[in-house]
Amino acid sequence: MRLLASLLLCLCIPAAWAAEANAPKLDIGLGGQCVKDTQWMRKNHMHLLKHQREETVRKGIREEKDALKNCVECHASAGDNSVTAREDSFCVGCHRYAAVKIDCFECHASKRKATLAKKDEQ
Ligand code: HEC
Ligand code: HEC
Ligand code: HEC
């Protein structure tokens, strides 16, 4: 019985992992703690951003924690400071895989402030 149980465990866990492994490997950025837990973010981050945009633009309410620039500060690659520059860049890597197209970075910075500041100095 125990042998059967462990055999099933061996068969099922890799199957679940394989499904996950189809998703692209993302450059998460600096690490640390996301604004909400990962599972929740995976499903709901777009609502957080859109809600925040409505509140800020229409009503002038700001919650810095959920601001788009905060996401970029953390999730931009340590290599190029960007969330969009490469295949595995955080936002774009997953969106390309999921066939989602967002226009946010036409107006909002896709790079961590540190690099923008440096660029200005040059
Ligand atoms: C302080 C750093 C930090 C900030 C700020 C932050 N995140 Fe995260 N986020 C993380 C880390 C670290 C993970 C990965 C956690 C893990 O692997 O369990 C994560 C996970 C995620 C995921 C799920 C990724 C996956 O693999 O499924 C999404 C989507 C996400 N974040 C979007 C955002 C958005 C949008 C914002 C801004 C509203 C944001 N994050 C702000 C650190 C941050
Ligand atoms: C045409 C330009 C433009 C586009 C495209 C755009 N935004 Fe914005 N967004 C703005 C402006 C302007 C503000 C107000 C900035 C301020 O008050 O400092 C803003 C504010 C925000 C805010 C609240 C402030 C902040 O820094 O987080 C969020 C969140 C946001 N936008 C998210 C998004 C998302 C998500 C998308 C893509 C779906 C997007 N925006 C596309 C121009 C744009
Ligand atoms: C783990 C995968 C993943 C990551 C990482 C990710 N997204 Fe998404 N995002 C999605 C998926 C999937 C959708 C579409 C969901 C839907 O249509 O219901 C989406 C949708 C969105 C939308 C709404 C688009 C629309 O027009 O409705 C915005 C805005 C957005 N993401 C912003 C971001 C930003 C900014 C980042 C980086 C900080 C990011 N996402 C990282 C998977 C991801």
Side-chain angles (χ1 to χ4, degrees):
M1 198 56 212
R2 256 179 73 186
L3 188 72
L4 184 68
S6 51
L7 187 70
L8 280 176
L9 228 109
C10 290
L11 289 174
C12 294
I13 289 178
W17 279 345
E20 286 270 298
N22 280 331
K25 196 124 183 59
L26 299 172
D27 185 338
I28 279 181
L30 293 187
Q33 190 87 55
C34 202
V35 292
K36 294 211 164 47
D37 77 80
T38 305
Q39 288 298 333
W40 190 93
M41 286 305 282
R42 195 169 295 168
K43 287 212 196 84
N44 301 306
H45 63 281
M46 57 301 282
H47 305 307
L48 198 65
L49 289 170
K50 290 200 154 174
H51 173 75
Q52 170 72 2
R53 176 171 59 170
E54 303 276 290
E55 299 270 288
T56 305
V57 176
R58 306 246 159 82
K59 300 183 206 141
I61 300 168
R62 285 176 180 278
E63 179 144 14
E64 295 294 331
K65 176 167 78 83
D66 296 340
L68 187 54
K69 64 175 181 306
N70 229 15
C71 321
V72 173
E73 282 298 314
C74 230
H75 281 296
S77 162
D80 56 21
N81 286 305
S82 172
V83 290
T84 58
R86 296 191 319 267
E87 288 283 308
D88 69 340
S89 295
F90 188 70
C91 308
V92 157
C94 191
H95 288 165
R96 189 169 291 150
Y97 168 76
V100 178
K101 200 151 170 27
I102 60 168
D103 62 359
C104 320
F105 299 119
E106 284 167 22
C107 299
H108 293 274
S110 64
K111 291 215 162 189
R112 190 173 284 132
K113 232 206 230 120
T115 41
L116 292 174
K118 251 187 227 138
K119 240 201 205 146
D120 289 343
E121 282 163 18
Q122 280 166 6

